[in-house]
PDB file of all heavy atoms in Angstrom:
ATOM      1  N   ASP D   1     -44.933  45.225  14.443  1.00 98.00           N
ATOM      2  CA  ASP D   1     -44.790  43.772  14.335  1.00 98.00           C
ATOM      3  C   ASP D   1     -43.613  43.429  13.422  1.00 98.00           C
ATOM      4  O   ASP D   1     -43.451  44.035  12.352  1.00 98.00           O
ATOM      5  CB  ASP D   1     -46.066  43.151  13.765  1.00 98.00           C
ATOM      6  CG  ASP D   1     -47.261  43.290  14.696  1.00 98.00           C
ATOM      7  OD1 ASP D   1     -47.066  43.685  15.867  1.00 98.00           O
ATOM      8  OD2 ASP D   1     -48.391  43.004  14.247  1.00 98.00           O
ATOM      9  N   THR D   2     -42.806  42.463  13.830  1.00 98.00           N
ATOM     10  CA  THR D   2     -41.634  41.930  13.116  1.00 98.00           C
ATOM     11  C   THR D   2     -40.430  42.863  13.155  1.00 98.00           C
ATOM     12  O   THR D   2     -39.441  42.615  12.469  1.00 98.00           O
ATOM     13  CB  THR D   2     -41.931  41.558  11.644  1.00 98.00           C
ATOM     14  OG1 THR D   2     -42.091  42.749  10.853  1.00 98.00           O
ATOM     15  CG2 THR D   2     -43.164  40.677  11.526  1.00 98.00           C
ATOM     16  N   PHE D   3     -40.461  43.922  13.945  1.00 98.00           N
ATOM     17  CA  PHE D   3     -39.370  44.892  13.967  1.00 98.00           C
ATOM     18  C   PHE D   3     -38.238  44.496  14.922  1.00 98.00           C
ATOM     19  O   PHE D   3     -37.384  45.330  15.223  1.00 98.00           O
ATOM     20  CB  PHE D   3     -39.896  46.286  14.318  1.00 98.00           C
ATOM     21  CG  PHE D   3     -40.299  47.119  13.117  1.00 98.00           C
ATOM     22  CD1 PHE D   3     -40.698  46.520  11.941  1.00 98.00           C
ATOM     23  CD2 PHE D   3     -40.288  48.505  13.170  1.00 98.00           C
ATOM     24  CE1 PHE D   3     -41.068  47.273  10.837  1.00 98.00           C
ATOM     25  CE2 PHE D   3     -40.642  49.278  12.077  1.00 98.00           C
ATOM     26  CZ  PHE D   3     -41.030  48.668  10.902  1.00 98.00           C
ATOM     27  N   ALA D   4     -38.214  43.241  15.359  1.00 98.00           N
ATOM     28  CA  ALA D   4     -37.107  42.774  16.198  1.00 98.00           C
ATOM     29  C   ALA D   4     -36.719  41.345  15.828  1.00 98.00           C
ATOM     30  O   ALA D   4     -36.864  40.421  16.640  1.00 98.00           O
ATOM     31  CB  ALA D   4     -37.453  42.870  17.682  1.00 98.00           C
ATOM     32  N   PRO D   5     -36.226  41.111  14.605  1.00 98.00           N
ATOM     33  CA  PRO D   5     -35.685  39.787  14.310  1.00 98.00           C
ATOM     34  C   PRO D   5     -34.601  39.440  15.328  1.00 98.00           C
ATOM     35  O   PRO D   5     -33.718  40.249  15.609  1.00 98.00           O
ATOM     36  CB  PRO D   5     -35.102  39.947  12.904  1.00 98.00           C
ATOM     37  CG  PRO D   5     -35.831  41.116  12.311  1.00 98.00           C
ATOM     38  CD  PRO D   5     -36.102  42.038  13.462  1.00 98.00           C
ATOM     39  N   MET D   6     -34.683  38.225  15.882  1.00 98.00           N
ATOM     40  CA  MET D   6     -33.773  37.824  16.955  1.00 98.00           C
ATOM     41  C   MET D   6     -33.232  36.432  16.657  1.00 98.00           C
ATOM     42  O   MET D   6     -33.960  35.562  16.212  1.00 98.00           O
ATOM     43  CB  MET D   6     -34.511  37.830  18.303  1.00 98.00           C
ATOM     44  CG  MET D   6     -33.627  37.635  19.521  1.00 98.00           C
ATOM     45  SD  MET D   6     -34.577  37.686  21.084  1.00 98.00           S
ATOM     46  CE  MET D   6     -35.159  39.384  21.067  1.00 98.00           C
ATOM     47  N   GLY D   7     -31.944  36.236  16.920  1.00 98.00           N
ATOM     48  CA  GLY D   7     -31.326  34.939  16.719  1.00 98.00           C
ATOM     49  C   GLY D   7     -30.322  34.994  15.575  1.00 98.00           C
ATOM     50  O   GLY D   7     -29.914  36.076  15.140  1.00 98.00           O
ATOM     51  N   PRO D   8     -29.873  33.819  15.087  1.00 98.00           N
ATOM     52  CA  PRO D   8     -30.512  32.515  15.258  1.00 98.00           C
ATOM     53  C   PRO D   8     -30.184  31.780  16.559  1.00 98.00           C
ATOM     54  O   PRO D   8     -30.959  30.958  17.012  1.00 98.00           O
ATOM     55  CB  PRO D   8     -29.961  31.718  14.068  1.00 98.00           C
ATOM     56  CG  PRO D   8     -28.598  32.304  13.849  1.00 98.00           C
ATOM     57  CD  PRO D   8     -28.743  33.763  14.128  1.00 98.00           C
ATOM     58  N   TRP D   9     -29.026  32.112  17.161  1.00 98.00           N
ATOM     59  CA  TRP D   9     -28.571  31.302  18.281  1.00 98.00           C
ATOM     60  C   TRP D   9     -28.560  32.099  19.580  1.00 98.00           C
ATOM     61  O   TRP D   9     -28.479  33.332  19.595  1.00 98.00           O
ATOM     62  CB  TRP D   9     -27.153  30.784  18.035  1.00 98.00           C
ATOM     63  CG  TRP D   9     -26.826  30.300  16.656  1.00 98.00           C
ATOM     64  CD1 TRP D   9     -25.754  30.654  15.904  1.00 98.00           C
ATOM     65  CD2 TRP D   9     -27.560  29.359  15.865  1.00 98.00           C
ATOM     66  NE1 TRP D   9     -25.762  30.009  14.705  1.00 98.00           N
ATOM     67  CE2 TRP D   9     -26.858  29.204  14.645  1.00 98.00           C
ATOM     68  CE3 TRP D   9     -28.732  28.633  16.074  1.00 98.00           C
ATOM     69  CZ2 TRP D   9     -27.301  28.356  13.629  1.00 98.00           C
ATOM     70  CZ3 TRP D   9     -29.170  27.797  15.060  1.00 98.00           C
ATOM     71  CH2 TRP D   9     -28.471  27.662  13.864  1.00 98.00           C
ATOM     72  N   LEU D  10     -28.616  31.368  20.682  1.00 98.00           N
ATOM     73  CA  LEU D  10     -28.273  31.871  22.009  1.00 98.00           C
ATOM     74  C   LEU D  10     -26.943  31.218  22.360  1.00 98.00           C
ATOM     75  O   LEU D  10     -26.876  30.001  22.536  1.00 98.00           O
ATOM     76  CB  LEU D  10     -29.346  31.501  23.034  1.00 98.00           C
ATOM     77  CG  LEU D  10     -28.980  31.726  24.511  1.00 98.00           C
ATOM     78  CD1 LEU D  10     -28.704  33.194  24.791  1.00 98.00           C
ATOM     79  CD2 LEU D  10     -30.095  31.198  25.419  1.00 98.00           C
ATOM     80  N   VAL D  11     -25.884  32.010  22.410  1.00 98.00           N
ATOM     81  CA  VAL D  11     -24.533  31.493  22.589  1.00 98.00           C
ATOM     82  C   VAL D  11     -24.042  31.859  23.987  1.00 98.00           C
ATOM     83  O   VAL D  11     -24.072  33.039  24.370  1.00 98.00           O
ATOM     84  CB  VAL D  11     -23.577  32.057  21.516  1.00 98.00           C
ATOM     85  CG1 VAL D  11     -22.196  31.439  21.652  1.00 98.00           C
ATOM     86  CG2 VAL D  11     -24.137  31.802  20.120  1.00 98.00           C
ATOM     87  N   THR D  12     -23.604  30.866  24.741  1.00 97.00           N
ATOM     88  CA  THR D  12     -23.163  31.110  26.111  1.00 97.00           C
ATOM     89  C   THR D  12     -21.833  31.875  26.110  1.00 97.00           C
ATOM     90  O   THR D  12     -21.066  31.846  25.149  1.00 97.00           O
ATOM     91  CB  THR D  12     -23.019  29.802  26.893  1.00 97.00           C
ATOM     92  OG1 THR D  12     -22.150  28.914  26.175  1.00 97.00           O
ATOM     93  CG2 THR D  12     -24.379  29.131  27.075  1.00 97.00           C
ATOM     94  N   ALA D  13     -21.595  32.553  27.227  1.00 94.00           N
ATOM     95  CA  ALA D  13     -20.450  33.457  27.314  1.00 94.00           C
ATOM     96  C   ALA D  13     -19.126  32.750  27.050  1.00 94.00           C
ATOM     97  O   ALA D  13     -18.228  33.318  26.416  1.00 94.00           O
ATOM     98  CB  ALA D  13     -20.429  34.130  28.690  1.00 94.00           C
ATOM     99  N   ASP D  14     -18.991  31.507  27.511  1.00 94.00           N
ATOM    100  CA  ASP D  14     -17.726  30.797  27.326  1.00 94.00           C
ATOM    101  C   ASP D  14     -17.434  30.534  25.858  1.00 94.00           C
ATOM    102  O   ASP D  14     -16.267  30.412  25.458  1.00 94.00           O
ATOM    103  CB  ASP D  14     -17.726  29.486  28.120  1.00 94.00           C
ATOM    104  CG  ASP D  14     -18.857  28.552  27.725  1.00 94.00           C
ATOM    105  OD1 ASP D  14     -19.977  29.051  27.512  1.00 94.00           O
ATOM    106  OD2 ASP D  14     -18.640  27.333  27.645  1.00 94.00           O
ATOM    107  N   ALA D  15     -18.469  30.462  25.039  1.00 96.00           N
ATOM    108  CA  ALA D  15     -18.287  30.240  23.605  1.00 96.00           C
ATOM    109  C   ALA D  15     -18.112  31.550  22.835  1.00 96.00           C
ATOM    110  O   ALA D  15     -17.648  31.537  21.695  1.00 96.00           O
ATOM    111  CB  ALA D  15     -19.465  29.461  23.032  1.00 96.00           C
ATOM    112  N   VAL D  16     -18.473  32.662  23.455  1.00 97.00           N
ATOM    113  CA  VAL D  16     -18.378  33.965  22.794  1.00 97.00           C
ATOM    114  C   VAL D  16     -16.974  34.559  22.936  1.00 97.00           C
ATOM    115  O   VAL D  16     -16.439  35.176  22.021  1.00 97.00           O
ATOM    116  CB  VAL D  16     -19.436  34.941  23.367  1.00 97.00           C
ATOM    117  CG1 VAL D  16     -19.173  36.375  22.909  1.00 97.00           C
ATOM    118  CG2 VAL D  16     -20.826  34.505  22.933  1.00 97.00           C
ATOM    119  N   GLY D  17     -16.359  34.379  24.098  1.00 94.00           N
ATOM    120  CA  GLY D  17     -15.075  35.016  24.357  1.00 94.00           C
ATOM    121  C   GLY D  17     -15.267  36.454  24.803  1.00 94.00           C
ATOM    122  O   GLY D  17     -16.213  36.769  25.542  1.00 94.00           O
ATOM    123  N   ASP D  18     -14.414  37.344  24.350  1.00 97.00           N
ATOM    124  CA  ASP D  18     -14.467  38.750  24.760  1.00 97.00           C
ATOM    125  C   ASP D  18     -15.640  39.429  24.068  1.00 97.00           C
ATOM    126  O   ASP D  18     -15.609  39.685  22.858  1.00 97.00           O
ATOM    127  CB  ASP D  18     -13.153  39.440  24.404  1.00 97.00           C
ATOM    128  CG  ASP D  18     -13.093  40.884  24.890  1.00 97.00           C
ATOM    129  OD1 ASP D  18     -14.089  41.378  25.448  1.00 97.00           O
ATOM    130  OD2 ASP D  18     -12.037  41.519  24.686  1.00 97.00           O
ATOM    131  N   VAL D  19     -16.661  39.743  24.844  1.00 98.00           N
ATOM    132  CA  VAL D  19     -17.872  40.324  24.263  1.00 98.00           C
ATOM    133  C   VAL D  19     -17.628  41.748  23.759  1.00 98.00           C
ATOM    134  O   VAL D  19     -18.429  42.274  22.980  1.00 98.00           O
ATOM    135  CB  VAL D  19     -19.029  40.266  25.285  1.00 98.00           C
ATOM    136  CG1 VAL D  19     -18.848  41.302  26.400  1.00 98.00           C
ATOM    137  CG2 VAL D  19     -20.368  40.463  24.606  1.00 98.00           C
ATOM    138  N   GLN D  20     -16.520  42.359  24.170  1.00 98.00           N
ATOM    139  CA  GLN D  20     -16.189  43.702  23.686  1.00 98.00           C
ATOM    140  C   GLN D  20     -15.207  43.661  22.512  1.00 98.00           C
ATOM    141  O   GLN D  20     -14.528  44.634  22.230  1.00 98.00           O
ATOM    142  CB  GLN D  20     -15.626  44.548  24.828  1.00 98.00           C
ATOM    143  CG  GLN D  20     -16.583  44.761  25.988  1.00 98.00           C
ATOM    144  CD  GLN D  20     -17.915  45.404  25.623  1.00 98.00           C
ATOM    145  OE1 GLN D  20     -18.904  45.204  26.291  1.00 98.00           O
ATOM    146  NE2 GLN D  20     -17.954  46.185  24.547  1.00 98.00           N
ATOM    147  N   ALA D  21     -15.186  42.517  21.818  1.00 98.00           N
ATOM    148  CA  ALA D  21     -14.312  42.390  20.646  1.00 98.00           C
ATOM    149  C   ALA D  21     -15.007  41.592  19.552  1.00 98.00           C
ATOM    150  O   ALA D  21     -14.397  40.746  18.906  1.00 98.00           O
ATOM    151  CB  ALA D  21     -12.990  41.742  21.039  1.00 98.00           C
ATOM    152  N   LEU D  22     -16.295  41.873  19.338  1.00 98.00           N
ATOM    153  CA  LEU D  22     -17.080  41.162  18.338  1.00 98.00           C
ATOM    154  C   LEU D  22     -17.310  42.058  17.121  1.00 98.00           C
ATOM    155  O   LEU D  22     -17.581  43.256  17.248  1.00 98.00           O
ATOM    156  CB  LEU D  22     -18.431  40.726  18.917  1.00 98.00           C
ATOM    157  CG  LEU D  22     -18.391  39.829  20.157  1.00 98.00           C
ATOM    158  CD1 LEU D  22     -19.815  39.502  20.609  1.00 98.00           C
ATOM    159  CD2 LEU D  22     -17.612  38.557  19.903  1.00 98.00           C
ATOM    160  N   ASP D  23     -17.228  41.471  15.932  1.00 98.00           N
ATOM    161  CA  ASP D  23     -17.478  42.195  14.690  1.00 98.00           C
ATOM    162  C   ASP D  23     -18.956  42.092  14.321  1.00 98.00           C
ATOM    163  O   ASP D  23     -19.555  41.011  14.426  1.00 98.00           O
ATOM    164  CB  ASP D  23     -16.636  41.623  13.553  1.00 98.00           C
ATOM    165  CG  ASP D  23     -15.145  41.816  13.781  1.00 98.00           C
ATOM    166  OD1 ASP D  23     -14.770  42.847  14.375  1.00 98.00           O
ATOM    167  OD2 ASP D  23     -14.360  40.932  13.379  1.00 98.00           O
ATOM    168  N   LEU D  24     -19.540  43.199  13.882  1.00 98.00           N
ATOM    169  CA  LEU D  24     -20.933  43.261  13.462  1.00 98.00           C
ATOM    170  C   LEU D  24     -21.005  43.744  12.026  1.00 98.00           C
ATOM    171  O   LEU D  24     -20.198  44.569  11.600  1.00 98.00           O
ATOM    172  CB  LEU D  24     -21.742  44.228  14.332  1.00 98.00           C
ATOM    173  CG  LEU D  24     -21.717  44.104  15.854  1.00 98.00           C
ATOM    174  CD1 LEU D  24     -20.550  44.883  16.452  1.00 98.00           C
ATOM    175  CD2 LEU D  24     -23.022  44.618  16.457  1.00 98.00           C
ATOM    176  N   SER D  25     -22.002  43.248  11.278  1.00 98.00           N
ATOM    177  CA  SER D  25     -22.192  43.745   9.918  1.00 98.00           C
ATOM    178  C   SER D  25     -23.643  43.573   9.504  1.00 98.00           C
ATOM    179  O   SER D  25     -24.374  42.730  10.043  1.00 98.00           O
ATOM    180  CB  SER D  25     -21.282  43.021   8.921  1.00 98.00           C
ATOM    181  OG  SER D  25     -21.662  41.667   8.778  1.00 98.00           O
ATOM    182  N   LEU D  26     -24.050  44.389   8.536  1.00 98.00           N
ATOM    183  CA  LEU D  26     -25.363  44.248   7.900  1.00 98.00           C
ATOM    184  C   LEU D  26     -25.218  44.549   6.426  1.00 98.00           C
ATOM    185  O   LEU D  26     -24.658  45.587   6.042  1.00 98.00           O
ATOM    186  CB  LEU D  26     -26.396  45.180   8.543  1.00 98.00           C
ATOM    187  CG  LEU D  26     -27.832  45.020   8.020  1.00 98.00           C
ATOM    188  CD1 LEU D  26     -28.859  45.223   9.123  1.00 98.00           C
ATOM    189  CD2 LEU D  26     -28.121  45.989   6.852  1.00 98.00           C
ATOM    190  N   ASP D  27     -25.684  43.610   5.602  1.00 98.00           N
ATOM    191  CA  ASP D  27     -25.710  43.786   4.150  1.00 98.00           C
ATOM    192  C   ASP D  27     -27.159  43.965   3.707  1.00 98.00           C
ATOM    193  O   ASP D  27     -28.065  43.286   4.215  1.00 98.00           O
ATOM    194  CB  ASP D  27     -25.124  42.576   3.434  1.00 98.00           C
ATOM    195  CG  ASP D  27     -23.637  42.375   3.703  1.00 98.00           C
ATOM    196  OD1 ASP D  27     -23.005  43.288   4.272  1.00 98.00           O
ATOM    197  OD2 ASP D  27     -23.121  41.297   3.364  1.00 98.00           O
ATOM    198  N   LEU D  28     -27.365  44.848   2.756  1.00 98.00           N
ATOM    199  CA  LEU D  28     -28.682  45.060   2.155  1.00 98.00           C
ATOM    200  C   LEU D  28     -28.577  44.735   0.680  1.00 98.00           C
ATOM    201  O   LEU D  28     -27.814  45.383  -0.052  1.00 98.00           O
ATOM    202  CB  LEU D  28     -29.134  46.508   2.363  1.00 98.00           C
ATOM    203  CG  LEU D  28     -30.530  46.844   1.845  1.00 98.00           C
ATOM    204  CD1 LEU D  28     -31.601  46.125   2.671  1.00 98.00           C
ATOM    205  CD2 LEU D  28     -30.773  48.349   1.864  1.00 98.00           C
ATOM    206  N   ASN D  29     -29.294  43.706   0.254  1.00 98.00           N
ATOM    207  CA  ASN D  29     -29.270  43.266  -1.140  1.00 98.00           C
ATOM    208  C   ASN D  29     -27.834  43.018  -1.621  1.00 98.00           C
ATOM    209  O   ASN D  29     -27.480  43.332  -2.760  1.00 98.00           O
ATOM    210  CB  ASN D  29     -29.959  44.296  -2.042  1.00 98.00           C
ATOM    211  CG  ASN D  29     -31.379  44.584  -1.610  1.00 98.00           C
ATOM    212  OD1 ASN D  29     -32.048  43.730  -1.022  1.00 98.00           O
ATOM    213  ND2 ASN D  29     -31.848  45.794  -1.869  1.00 98.00           N
ATOM    214  N   GLY D  30     -27.019  42.465  -0.726  1.00 98.00           N
ATOM    215  CA  GLY D  30     -25.654  42.119  -1.092  1.00 98.00           C
ATOM    216  C   GLY D  30     -24.638  43.227  -0.944  1.00 98.00           C
ATOM    217  O   GLY D  30     -23.440  42.996  -1.134  1.00 98.00           O
ATOM    218  N   ALA D  31     -25.068  44.437  -0.601  1.00 98.00           N
ATOM    219  CA  ALA D  31     -24.158  45.572  -0.433  1.00 98.00           C
ATOM    220  C   ALA D  31     -23.963  45.856   1.051  1.00 98.00           C
ATOM    221  O   ALA D  31     -24.942  45.926   1.808  1.00 98.00           O
ATOM    222  CB  ALA D  31     -24.699  46.809  -1.142  1.00 98.00           C
ATOM    223  N   ARG D  32     -22.718  46.034   1.465  1.00 98.00           N
ATOM    224  CA  ARG D  32     -22.435  46.277   2.875  1.00 98.00           C
ATOM    225  C   ARG D  32     -22.944  47.660   3.297  1.00 98.00           C
ATOM    226  O   ARG D  32     -22.615  48.671   2.704  1.00 98.00           O
ATOM    227  CB  ARG D  32     -20.924  46.155   3.115  1.00 98.00           C
ATOM    228  CG  ARG D  32     -20.454  46.423   4.546  1.00 98.00           C
ATOM    229  CD  ARG D  32     -21.086  45.493   5.582  1.00 98.00           C
ATOM    230  NE  ARG D  32     -21.016  44.100   5.238  1.00 98.00           N
ATOM    231  CZ  ARG D  32     -19.998  43.292   5.566  1.00 98.00           C
ATOM    232  NH1 ARG D  32     -18.958  43.779   6.228  1.00 98.00           N
ATOM    233  NH2 ARG D  32     -20.015  42.016   5.232  1.00 98.00           N
ATOM    234  N   MET D  33     -23.752  47.697   4.330  1.00 98.00           N
ATOM    235  CA  MET D  33     -24.273  48.932   4.900  1.00 98.00           C
ATOM    236  C   MET D  33     -23.608  49.259   6.240  1.00 98.00           C
ATOM    237  O   MET D  33     -23.227  50.391   6.494  1.00 98.00           O
ATOM    238  CB  MET D  33     -25.796  48.826   5.092  1.00 98.00           C
ATOM    239  CG  MET D  33     -26.580  48.680   3.816  1.00 98.00           C
ATOM    240  SD  MET D  33     -26.600  50.196   2.844  1.00 98.00           S
ATOM    241  CE  MET D  33     -26.113  49.576   1.246  1.00 98.00           C
ATOM    242  N   GLN D  34     -23.510  48.258   7.108  1.00 98.00           N
ATOM    243  CA  GLN D  34     -22.953  48.475   8.434  1.00 98.00           C
ATOM    244  C   GLN D  34     -21.753  47.568   8.670  1.00 98.00           C
ATOM    245  O   GLN D  34     -21.810  46.372   8.371  1.00 98.00           O
ATOM    246  CB  GLN D  34     -23.993  48.200   9.528  1.00 98.00           C
ATOM    247  CG  GLN D  34     -25.110  49.232   9.599  1.00 98.00           C
ATOM    248  CD  GLN D  34     -25.997  49.000  10.816  1.00 98.00           C
ATOM    249  OE1 GLN D  34     -26.928  48.218  10.758  1.00 98.00           O
ATOM    250  NE2 GLN D  34     -25.697  49.685  11.907  1.00 98.00           N
ATOM    251  N   THR D  35     -20.709  48.144   9.215  1.00 97.00           N
ATOM    252  CA  THR D  35     -19.549  47.392   9.674  1.00 97.00           C
ATOM    253  C   THR D  35     -19.134  48.014  11.000  1.00 97.00           C
ATOM    254  O   THR D  35     -18.991  49.237  11.097  1.00 97.00           O
ATOM    255  CB  THR D  35     -18.380  47.477   8.679  1.00 97.00           C
ATOM    256  OG1 THR D  35     -18.794  46.962   7.413  1.00 97.00           O
ATOM    257  CG2 THR D  35     -17.196  46.677   9.183  1.00 97.00           C
ATOM    258  N   GLY D  36     -18.956  47.195  12.012  1.00 96.00           N
ATOM    259  CA  GLY D  36     -18.591  47.747  13.307  1.00 96.00           C
ATOM    260  C   GLY D  36     -17.992  46.704  14.212  1.00 96.00           C
ATOM    261  O   GLY D  36     -17.869  45.530  13.866  1.00 96.00           O
ATOM    262  N   THR D  37     -17.613  47.144  15.385  1.00 97.00           N
ATOM    263  CA  THR D  37     -17.076  46.276  16.414  1.00 97.00           C
ATOM    264  C   THR D  37     -17.569  46.737  17.771  1.00 97.00           C
ATOM    265  O   THR D  37     -17.694  47.952  18.014  1.00 97.00           O
ATOM    266  CB  THR D  37     -15.532  46.270  16.399  1.00 97.00           C
ATOM    267  OG1 THR D  37     -15.050  45.592  17.572  1.00 97.00           O
ATOM    268  CG2 THR D  37     -14.958  47.681  16.392  1.00 97.00           C
ATOM    269  N   THR D  38     -17.842  45.785  18.642  1.00 98.00           N
ATOM    270  CA  THR D  38     -18.299  46.138  19.992  1.00 98.00           C
ATOM    271  C   THR D  38     -17.211  46.857  20.784  1.00 98.00           C
ATOM    272  O   THR D  38     -17.506  47.412  21.845  1.00 98.00           O
ATOM    273  CB  THR D  38     -18.771  44.897  20.759  1.00 98.00           C
ATOM    274  OG1 THR D  38     -17.709  43.922  20.798  1.00 98.00           O
ATOM    275  CG2 THR D  38     -19.994  44.281  20.104  1.00 98.00           C
ATOM    276  N   ALA D  39     -15.983  46.869  20.279  1.00 96.00           N
ATOM    277  CA  ALA D  39     -14.923  47.646  20.927  1.00 96.00           C
ATOM    278  C   ALA D  39     -15.229  49.144  20.885  1.00 96.00           C
ATOM    279  O   ALA D  39     -14.663  49.915  21.677  1.00 96.00           O
ATOM    280  CB  ALA D  39     -13.577  47.364  20.267  1.00 96.00           C
ATOM    281  N   ARG D  40     -16.108  49.569  19.964  1.00 95.00           N
ATOM    282  CA  ARG D  40     -16.443  50.996  19.839  1.00 95.00           C
ATOM    283  C   ARG D  40     -17.666  51.381  20.651  1.00 95.00           C
ATOM    284  O   ARG D  40     -18.171  52.501  20.523  1.00 95.00           O
ATOM    285  CB  ARG D  40     -16.675  51.348  18.361  1.00 95.00           C
ATOM    286  CG  ARG D  40     -15.473  51.190  17.454  1.00 95.00           C
ATOM    287  CD  ARG D  40     -14.327  52.141  17.790  1.00 95.00           C
ATOM    288  NE  ARG D  40     -14.692  53.540  17.712  1.00 95.00           N
ATOM    289  CZ  ARG D  40     -14.581  54.287  16.605  1.00 95.00           C
ATOM    290  NH1 ARG D  40     -14.143  53.737  15.485  1.00 95.00           N
ATOM    291  NH2 ARG D  40     -14.900  55.561  16.622  1.00 95.00           N
ATOM    292  N   MET D  41     -18.153  50.456  21.494  1.00 96.00           N
ATOM    293  CA  MET D  41     -19.265  50.822  22.377  1.00 96.00           C
ATOM    294  C   MET D  41     -18.851  51.935  23.333  1.00 96.00           C
ATOM    295  O   MET D  41     -17.751  51.913  23.891  1.00 96.00           O
ATOM    296  CB  MET D  41     -19.722  49.609  23.193  1.00 96.00           C
ATOM    297  CG  MET D  41     -20.617  48.637  22.475  1.00 96.00           C
ATOM    298  SD  MET D  41     -21.169  47.359  23.649  1.00 96.00           S
ATOM    299  CE  MET D  41     -22.303  46.454  22.621  1.00 96.00           C
ATOM    300  N   ILE D  42     -19.740  52.883  23.538  1.00 96.00           N
ATOM    301  CA  ILE D  42     -19.517  53.921  24.540  1.00 96.00           C
ATOM    302  C   ILE D  42     -19.660  53.326  25.937  1.00 96.00           C
ATOM    303  O   ILE D  42     -18.844  53.577  26.831  1.00 96.00           O
ATOM    304  CB  ILE D  42     -20.501  55.090  24.325  1.00 96.00           C
ATOM    305  CG1 ILE D  42     -20.272  55.728  22.954  1.00 96.00           C
ATOM    306  CG2 ILE D  42     -20.370  56.131  25.434  1.00 96.00           C
ATOM    307  CD1 ILE D  42     -21.360  56.699  22.527  1.00 96.00           C
ATOM    308  N   PHE D  43     -20.698  52.526  26.126  1.00 98.00           N
ATOM    309  CA  PHE D  43     -20.944  51.858  27.401  1.00 98.00           C
ATOM    310  C   PHE D  43     -20.854  50.352  27.175  1.00 98.00           C
ATOM    311  O   PHE D  43     -21.537  49.798  26.317  1.00 98.00           O
ATOM    312  CB  PHE D  43     -22.323  52.234  27.957  1.00 98.00           C
ATOM    313  CG  PHE D  43     -22.510  53.727  28.107  1.00 98.00           C
ATOM    314  CD1 PHE D  43     -23.292  54.436  27.205  1.00 98.00           C
ATOM    315  CD2 PHE D  43     -21.889  54.416  29.123  1.00 98.00           C
ATOM    316  CE1 PHE D  43     -23.462  55.799  27.317  1.00 98.00           C
ATOM    317  CE2 PHE D  43     -22.042  55.797  29.255  1.00 98.00           C
ATOM    318  CZ  PHE D  43     -22.826  56.493  28.349  1.00 98.00           C
ATOM    319  N   SER D  44     -20.022  49.678  27.950  1.00 98.00           N
ATOM    320  CA  SER D  44     -19.801  48.245  27.793  1.00 98.00           C
ATOM    321  C   SER D  44     -21.029  47.452  28.203  1.00 98.00           C
ATOM    322  O   SER D  44     -21.939  47.972  28.870  1.00 98.00           O
ATOM    323  CB  SER D  44     -18.610  47.813  28.644  1.00 98.00           C
ATOM    324  OG  SER D  44     -18.938  47.899  30.026  1.00 98.00           O
TER     325      SER D  44
END
């Protein structure tokens, strides 16, 4: 239970632009843990 936080938004494709050029990040207690880009996906 609660292992899939989702959102906050549902953004349509026209507002997203190139879905294979999005930056992702996750901070834990203010410290950066994850930094990435969808350009590094193995499968689009």
Side-chain angles (χ1 to χ4, degrees):
D1 294 349
T2 73
F3 269 26
M6 189 179 295
W9 319 130
L10 168 62
V11 184
T12 54
D14 59 319
V16 168
D18 184 357
V19 74
Q20 299 303 153
L22 302 179
D23 295 326
L24 308 87
S25 68
L26 185 144
D27 294 349
L28 183 68
N29 304 332
R32 178 59 50 89
M33 296 289 130
Q34 290 187 274
T35 301
T37 170
T38 56
R40 296 295 301 270
M41 280 185 175
I42 298 168
F43 304 104
S44 69

